[in-house]
Amino acid sequence: MTSGDGYGHRGTGRRGVLRAGAAAVLLGAAGCSSGGKPGGASTSSVAAPTTTPTAAPTPTPTRTPTATPTPLPSPPLWQPGPGEIQPDVKRRAVELVAALGAWPPGGQGVEPGRARVAALGLPPGLADQAGRLAPAAVEASLEVIDAQYGGILADSASVLVVCRQWTRQPDGSVAPGGITVDVRLSRAEPRWTVTALHPGDPGPAVSPAPAVAKVLAEPRIELPPEAEADLLSGNVHDTVPTAMLRLAGPYTLSVSVVRTGHPLDVFGTTRPSDHPLGRAFDVRRIDGRAVVDPATPRQLIESFMRDAAAAGSYNVGGPVAIAGAGNQFFTDDTHHDHVHIGFNS
C-alpha cells in the first residue's frame, strides 16, 4: 500500500483484513475435509490492523515582500553657461554645496561631510557650517537650481547657491525641501577657495497674506523652495508680492532670491541690503530666458527693468545700463546674472 491513496502507511489496510478473513475460512474448511473431529474449530484469530498517526505537515512561512524604497532624484550638477563672469568661482561654490547637501545611505553626519569637503581640496571644517544644508537623514540628494552672485570683487565673492533637496525619512519616504546658501570665496591658486558658508533659514510659516496667496497660486511666477518659504514666513513686505503679481501680467518670471540666503550688507560695503529686510527680490529668468545669457534680448531685460521701476521699485539693477532719474537703475558685475528689484518699504 502506498501513501498515494490519501491515507498514508496504515499497516495491513482494508484489503489485508479481507484477505485474512478469507484465509481463515479456507483453513476451517480444510480441517473438516481432513477428517478432524467435528466441531474442532481452529483457535487461530486475525489481529486488528494497527494505525500509525501521520504527522501534520510543517506549514511554510509566509514571506511579506519587502517594498523597494522610492529612489531619490539624481539631477546633474549645475554648470555655468554663456555670459558668466568668473564661471569657475560659481562652479567652486556649487561643488561644495553639492558635497555637503547630498550623500548616499550611511553618508550622513559631520565626519563623512568633512571627508567629502577635503576631497575637493577645501578646508574640512566647512562641514561644521552646513546647518540646514545637512539635515539628519540617512540619505539625501540635491539639485542646484541656480548659482547667482551676491557680490563679485577682484579678490572676494559671494555666490548664492539656490537649491532643491530631497531627504530619506525614517519610514523610507522621501521629503522634498530646499535651501539657499551664501558661499563666501577668496582668490587663490589654482582655484578660488571657500572661506565660509551662510545657509538661509526663513523660519516657520504663518497664514499667508492675500497677496502672498495670489503669488503662490500664480503659474507665471516660479519660486524656489527658500523664496517660497520667505513669503510664507510673514517677514516680507507687501510691496514684494504686489510687484511680483504686477510683473506677472506681461511676463513670466523665475525668482531666485527673496530674503534669506542673501548677504546682510551690500557685498563689499557696510550698507544694509534690502533683501534681509524683506524689501527686495531677484529674478534670474524672464519669459524663460536667462538674464545672464547673452542670447537673451537686451530689449526684453530693459523693458522688464523699466516695468519693475513702474511697479514701485526705487532701486533696479541688472546687466543693462538704463538712463534714469537719480540712482533708480544701476548695473555692475554682480548684477550681470539677475535683475534686482528693491523697495523702500
Side-chain angles (χ1 to χ4, degrees), residues 54-138:
T54 303
T58 303
T60 302
T62 302
R63 294 185 178 180
T64 303
T66 302
T68 301
T70 303
L72 300 185
S74 182
L77 187 65
W78 181 92
Q79 296 293 334
E84 295 282 5
I85 293 175
Q86 297 275 15
D88 194 53
V89 175
K90 289 189 175 183
R91 187 181 292 110
R92 191 68 157 153
V94 166
E95 290 169 352
L96 174 63
V97 169
L100 288 174
W103 55 87
Q108 71 274 23
V110 174
E111 289 305 324
R114 286 174 178 161
R116 294 193 297 272
V117 173
L120 296 174
L122 291 170
L126 290 168
D128 301 341
Q129 304 174 24
R132 291 178 57 247
L133 178 60
V138 296

